[in-house]
Amino acid sequence: RRQARFLYHRMRNSRPLLKDPRAVFSAEWLASRFDADVVVTIRHPAAFAASMKVKGWRFPFRDLLSQALLMERYLAEFSAEISQFARGSHDIVDEAALLWKIVYSTVAHFQNRHPEWLFIRNEDLSRDPVAGLAAMEMLGLFETLLPEVGGMRGVVQGPNHHLDVYGHTIEVLEGVLRIESELDRFVGASAPGVSDLLEQPLADGVTRSTGLRLAALFHDCAKPATRREADGFISFRGHDRQGAEAVLTVFSRLKSSRRLAGYVADLTRNHLILGFMVPEQPLSRRQVYEYLKRTEPYSADVTLLTVADRLAARGTSSIAGREMVAGHLRLAGDMVAEALEWDRNGPPGQFLAGDELASELGIDPGPELGRVIDELAAARFAGEVDSASDAVEWARRFLETA
């Protein structure tokens, strides 16, 4: 199967991608033998050690001693330490420290010998992911690694947008970075709460901030597949829903955790909702409730994504006009504050337990009671009920008119 797969991609002139931390010692041979473009990612030693500790990875230092040419060419200065670690068991952090020194002393050697190679620090990619995407495009990696992103290039949009889907996506990512760096401007008094939220661990060793950036990259990934044009009108109907499904497929292929994939899929699925609510301002408390309920548990995150999305749509239509943009930013700021409050205190509680409410109403537990409880939660959030007796009377009226 692997051979057939390789031949298929070779016939399409696809570029093979080899990702292997241990291959660093063979990088010169790979570049020479296969005319490979070499990209070296450089990790902070603490992050490197943390990964080894979390994964429980141990390194067979004895294997290095058996490679005389490797030891002579690159690792001679570490021969005594490697021999010591090859003989017995050591703390995993000590192993990580030695391995980091071995790997990155070799990388430093390569930097002097091969200025044509690309050397990137993980921290630099975190600060400027757009530059990382540009490097991927230059190396032709989108087709191999992220065809869903590369496929956005050249997909023309309607008058709401001034760029194709790829250009728009890059501007949304840049917008997310700008929002993160200027929280006071975009969310006002909610800035400290949003900052704390974005720093929360999400999954796979990344924070919600990184997850938000990934959502910016993939939120329109289904636009190429959903694009339709009729009578001069361009539409992407369903790209939010199909995009969420595509995200789950992509992240499964990339061996991501379900939590990270689910986060990006949720933001992709819900990134259009707030924009449709802008013309309806001022919103009722029930509308606020419905938005928070529909987008939980990532209401604040997806709201920030909608801001970046709106700022990156600078076409000629009225939707892209200044008034609509200003209205979106006002609504987003209010909704972020509501979302933080929801995160802190949870959704509205019930005045009565479900069985008590069923007894008062004279109905059996089941779907009908579930609908009543859901409606009561919305009513309490909206300030329509404020006691157990109010809740019972409200529920009776609801059942009479349902």
Side-chain angles (χ1 to χ4, degrees):
R1 288 176 57 187
R2 289 185 177 181
Q3 185 178 10
R5 186 177 177 185
F6 178 82
L7 289 173
Y8 167 77
H9 286 287
R10 186 171 185 177
M11 290 174 63
R12 297 185 61 195
N13 292 319
S14 300
R15 302 188 70 188
L17 174 66
L18 171 65
K19 177 181 179 293
D20 185 351
R22 296 188 185 186
V24 65
F25 300 117
S26 303
E28 286 189 314
W29 178 82
L30 289 168
S32 174
R33 179 67 177 81
F34 298 103
D35 192 26
D37 291 316
V38 179
V39 180
V40 182
T41 56
I42 301 170
R43 299 198 67 192
H44 189 281
F48 182 85
S51 292
M52 289 191 64
K53 187 172 182 178
V54 168
K55 300 292 186 182
W57 289 334
R58 312 306 293 244
F59 187 80
F61 288 95
R62 187 178 292 106
D63 290 354
L64 299 178
L65 295 174
S66 65
Q67 301 177 66
L69 185 59
L70 172 64
M71 292 297 300
E72 177 184 347
R73 180 173 296 177
Y74 300 128
L75 307 181
E77 62 179 303
F78 301 104
S79 58
E81 289 181 88
I82 293 172
S83 297
Q84 178 186 353
F85 275 70
R87 285 195 297 268
S89 177
H90 293 77
D91 183 83
I92 194 169
V93 175
D94 293 332
E95 287 188 9
L98 176 57
L99 184 57
W100 190 92
K101 289 193 296 183
I102 289 171
V103 168
Y104 289 106
S105 68
T106 305
V107 169
H109 172 80
F110 290 155
Q111 284 180 298
N112 292 327
R113 287 173 55 91
H114 299 285
E116 74 279 11
W117 291 5
L118 188 59
F119 298 87
I120 305 177
R121 296 191 309 169
N122 276 24
E123 294 79 8
D124 293 336
L125 287 176
S126 297
R127 281 191 291 266
D128 190 4
V130 175
L133 292 172
M136 289 182 63
E137 185 175 21
M138 177 187 71
L139 294 168
L141 293 180
F142 280 144
E143 181 181 356
T144 303
L145 191 60
L146 293 176
E148 296 80 7
V149 176
M152 299 179 195
R153 184 170 290 286
V155 179
V156 177
Q157 305 194 84
N160 292 343
H161 297 86
H162 64 297
L163 297 170
D164 68 1
V165 177
Y166 179 82
H168 169 74
T169 295
I170 296 301
E171 284 210 356
V172 173
L173 178 55
E174 292 173 333
V176 165
L177 298 175
R178 186 165 61 255
I179 292 168
E180 290 180 1
S181 65
E182 302 178 34
L183 285 175
D184 288 335
R185 172 189 169 194
F186 287 101
V187 298
S190 299
V194 172
S195 179
D196 291 342
L197 179 142
L198 292 177
E199 291 176 1
Q200 290 177 8
L202 178 59
D204 298 347
V206 305
T207 62
R208 285 170 78 156
S209 171
T210 300
L212 179 57
R213 298 174 187 187
L214 288 170
L217 183 63
F218 284 98
H219 76 286
D220 278 346
C221 68
K223 276 192 170 180
T226 58
R227 186 182 188 277
R228 300 291 183 272
E229 185 170 1
D231 300 324
F233 179 76
I234 298 173
S235 67
F236 301 95
R237 185 169 298 172
H239 80 274
D240 48 346
R241 183 183 66 257
Q242 291 189 37
E245 296 170 358
V247 163
L248 295 177
T249 300
V250 171
F251 279 63
S252 175
R253 186 183 75 231
L254 297 176
K255 310 300 182 185
S256 157
S257 68
R258 291 183 180 179
R259 180 174 172 82
L260 179 58
Y263 174 92
V264 177
D266 279 355
L267 266 61
T268 299
R269 182 182 301 107
N270 296 326
H271 79 275
L272 296 178
I273 300 173
L274 194 69
F276 290 121
M277 301 173 75
V278 172
E280 300 175 6
Q281 295 183 85
L283 300 184
S284 70
R285 295 299 293 166
R286 277 183 168 267
Q287 286 176 299
V288 174
Y289 174 83
E290 292 299 329
Y291 178 79
L292 296 175
K293 187 69 175 176
R294 186 171 176 183
T295 59
E296 67 175 344
Y298 305 123
S299 302
D301 312 56
V302 73
T303 302
L304 295 176
L305 177 60
T306 71
V307 172
D309 196 21
R310 176 53 62 94
L311 292 175
R314 300 193 301 278
T316 58
S317 70
S318 59
I319 292 178
R322 289 185 179 181
E323 289 186 9
M324 288 293 289
V325 172
H328 192 117
L329 296 185
R330 284 194 303 271
L331 178 58
D334 293 342
M335 203 63 81
V336 164
E338 296 279 4
L340 292 178
E341 183 69 20
W342 184 287
D343 284 346
R344 281 191 294 267
N345 300 319
Q350 297 292 338
F351 288 110
L352 293 169
D355 56 346
E356 294 180 81
L357 182 61
S359 177
E360 290 284 348
L361 298 175
I363 62 175
D364 295 325
E368 186 177 35
L369 177 62
R371 286 194 297 272
V372 171
I373 290 174
D374 288 342
E375 286 296 322
L376 269 175
R380 183 169 185 182
F381 184 90
E384 298 169 10
V385 295
D386 57 12
S387 68
S389 59
D390 280 352
V392 172
E393 288 304 315
W394 190 98
R396 285 176 178 155
R397 290 195 301 271
F398 174 76
L399 289 175
E400 289 173 359
T401 58

